Amino acid sequence: MGYLEAGLADAVATGYDPLRDHEPALARTMAATVQQRLAFGDRAGQQVRRLGSGFGSEGEAPRLTGPRCASVQGFPLHCYSYIPAHRRDQLERLIRYTARGAVSLERLQAEANGDLVYTFTHPWSDGTTGIRLSPLELLEKLAALVPLPHVHLVRYGGCLAPHSHLRGAIRPTPRQQGLDGEEAPTGTPYWPWARLLGRVFGLEMTTCPWCRRGTLRLIAVITEESVITRILRHLQLASVPPPIAPARGRQETHAFV
């Protein structure tokens, strides 16, 4: 991408940063966040205000915090969660846990002077128990958490890495996954919409519902709302989409905790 000078024995940084060129405000926000500083506001360039007594972490040794779990220099490593193939309920719980919000509103409190105090569930290795931010500083840190476009959020290493020569030997084949029918060519990222519906919802969208032998194909795409409404009314189907259901209350979250 132009970050390093090509053709040299040792990699040399070129100083080129496309994010800084196209989105300088976002680049400045992310750079300040990783340095635990502020990029904007009255306290621009200063450290984030921490809470707690604080103590040094020099010489800290890795310590076990549980089965297949460890912590070192403030970074936890958790390798104890595993989901059997047939336990879809446990998989749903794990996905809901990993997809939770980055900020817990229960641990965010407002002070009388307008500052916001965010308390951590566990103290950091240096004794920090929370941070104090102004509303603008909080928005700055939240903006730095937004993933950049076209960036993979999940990365694999070892034999699961994209260019590993062992990846093809450990990946299950379509037959082993229980998938029938024509599959997309190996290596292509494109999946037809009908195949996605069949994979996610179990809907058969490629076979004719009348003869059960013919193959359906896309012949037209209608995007005009007036035309879609006339067709649905002619077929005596609902032409108005159902209303969006309200968000579930907190009393329903206990089923997945």
Side-chain angles (χ1 to χ4, degrees), residues 188-200:
T188 175
Y190 174 75
W191 280 34
W193 184 249
R195 185 186 175 199
L196 291 175
L197 291 177
R199 179 182 177 89
V200 178

Side-chain angles (χ1 to χ4, degrees), residues 47 91 94 97 116 122 133 185 213:
Q47 292 279 352
L91 179 60
L94 181 61
Y97 174 75
L116 302 174
H122 303 286
L133 302 168
R213 290 179 296 179

Side-chain angles (χ1 to χ4, degrees), residues 17-174:
D17 185 359
L19 182 63
R20 184 186 59 186
D21 296 340
H22 300 288
E23 298 291 343
L26 181 58
R28 182 179 175 185
T29 298
M30 299 182 67
T33 299
V34 298
Q35 300 177 36
Q36 299 184 10
R37 295 182 179 273
L38 301 173
F40 301 97
D42 298 335
R43 303 184 61 254
Q46 301 182 27
Q47 292 279 352
V48 174
R49 292 169 289 180
R50 296 186 179 186
L51 306 177
S53 58
F55 56 88
S57 60
E58 183 178 357
E60 179 187 4
R63 58 186 178 88
L64 296 178
T65 58
R68 299 189 181 94
C69 300
S71 177
V72 58
Q73 297 293 334
F75 292 93
L77 177 64
H78 183 93
C79 301
Y80 194 64
S81 296
Y82 59 92
I83 305 297
H86 62 283
R87 293 303 303 269
R88 307 296 294 182
D89 57 333
Q90 295 184 14
L91 179 60
E92 181 177 4
R93 289 181 56 187
L94 181 61
I95 293 177
R96 286 182 178 273
Y97 174 75
T98 55
R100 72 193 189 281
V103 177
S104 174
L105 298 181
E106 288 77 6
R107 291 188 275 113
L108 184 64
Q109 299 179 352
E111 293 187 332
N113 60 353
D115 288 340
L116 302 174
V117 174
Y118 189 76
T119 306
F120 302 148
T121 54
H122 303 286
W124 287 358
S125 59
D126 61 354
T128 302
T129 59
I131 55 177
R132 179 178 288 107
L133 302 168
S134 68
L136 178 61
E137 294 170 358
L138 176 62
L139 293 177
E140 173 187 322
K141 299 310 174 188
L142 293 178
L145 294 177
V146 179
L148 297 176
H150 311 295
V151 173
H152 293 288
L153 302 183
V154 179
R155 299 178 181 272
Y156 296 95
C159 58
L160 291 176
H163 297 287
S164 173
H165 66 281
L166 298 176
R167 182 180 175 90
I170 63 175
R171 288 185 57 191
T173 63

